[in-house]
Amino acid sequence: QSALTQPASVSGSPGQSITISCTGTSSDVGNYNVVSWYQQHPGKAPKLMIYEVTRRPSGVSNRFSGSKSGNTASLTISGLQAEDEADYYCCSYIGSSTWVFGGGTKLSVL
Amino acid sequence: EVQLVESGGGLVQPGGSLKLSCAASGFTFSDSVIHWVRQASGKGLEWVGRIRTKANNYATTYAVSMKGRFTISRDDSKNTAFLQMNGLKTEDTALYYCTRHPAGFDYWGQGILVTVAS
């Protein structure tokens, strides 16, 4: 159950778009459309931003979008805002009723 | 309003045991799959395990590193899930969250701190 691979950090300026990748294998990300993304501000619980690769929960800004290609899922944030600065985690179902998270990515809005 | 509230954390010696509780309200608890996720200080999220509903025989699964030491259970009459942790190690020190999973982990508790130290 190795963690999914995410870049440790990404940055962007207000108004720009950024993409965070989440790389797994053909046994997890590549095999199931059960990838979700979470935003976590310091000292707070994670917040669901994307589920089932592309679906956005009610109340989440449409600036957040998800996609997947092969063994890599991606979270794109468009029109970056200061409040988007946070840690982001991907998560994938990996079979046998188990899940695994990515290592997390720190987003800095410059 | 959906709420999940963890309790039961604290300081425990290596090799000791602790039982966490997750009290739920605002949704039909008995129909919900409950997961536990932990986060060591300054580190990432780590999936611990989950328990299904009565309709699925309260089936449980666990992360490999916790299998055999951790046990998840639930009491639907009290809208509460539990995480029994035995044989605790210093590396189990973390903030433990309970969360539900209808499609993605959509609601989370505030977390409860477990510290394993002598």
Side-chain angles (χ1 to χ4, degrees), chain B residues 34-54:
Chain B
I34 300 297
H35 294 243
W36 288 88
V37 175
R38 71 182 184 181
Q39 185 172 35
S41 180
K43 303 296 184 181
L45 301 172
E46 182 179 21
W47 182 77
V48 172
R50 70 97 168 97
I51 185 165
R52 297 185 75 178
T53 63
K54 181 179 180 180

Side-chain angles (χ1 to χ4, degrees), chain A residues 78-98:
Chain A
S78 59
L80 266 181
Q81 299 179 0
E83 58 261 37
D84 298 333
E85 186 162 291
D87 294 326
Y88 290 84
Y89 295 91
C90 63
C91 180
S92 177
Y93 179 71
I94 60 172
S96 301
S97 299
T98 58

Side-chain angles (χ1 to χ4, degrees), chain B residues 1-25:
Chain B
E1 179 192 8
V2 172
Q3 280 199 315
L4 295 164
V5 180
E6 302 93 342
S7 62
L11 174 64
V12 61
Q13 293 188 336
S17 298
L18 205 58
K19 187 173 185 177
L20 306 183
S21 298
C22 170
S25 60

Side-chain angles (χ1 to χ4, degrees), chain A residues 1 38 40 45-46 89 97 101, chain B residues 39 45 50 61 63-64 105 108:
Chain A
Q1 285 179 320
Y38 302 86
Q40 187 179 36
Y89 295 91
S97 299
F101 283 91
Chain B
Q39 185 172 35
L45 301 172
R50 70 97 168 97
T61 50
V64 170
F105 301 113
W108 297 66

Side-chain angles (χ1 to χ4, degrees), chain B residues 57-77:
Chain B
N57 298 314
Y58 301 122
T60 55
T61 50
Y62 303 91
V64 170
S65 61
M66 291 148 232
K67 199 170 184 180
R69 298 191 301 124
F70 289 10
T71 302
I72 300 173
S73 60
R74 63 192 296 162
D75 183 342
D76 290 343
S77 70

Side-chain angles (χ1 to χ4, degrees), chain A residues 13-16 61 63 77-85 107 109:
Chain A
S13 300
Q16 287 186 333
S61 171
R63 297 186 298 105
I77 309 174
S78 59
L80 266 181
Q81 299 179 0
E83 58 261 37
D84 298 333
E85 186 162 291
L107 169 62
V109 181

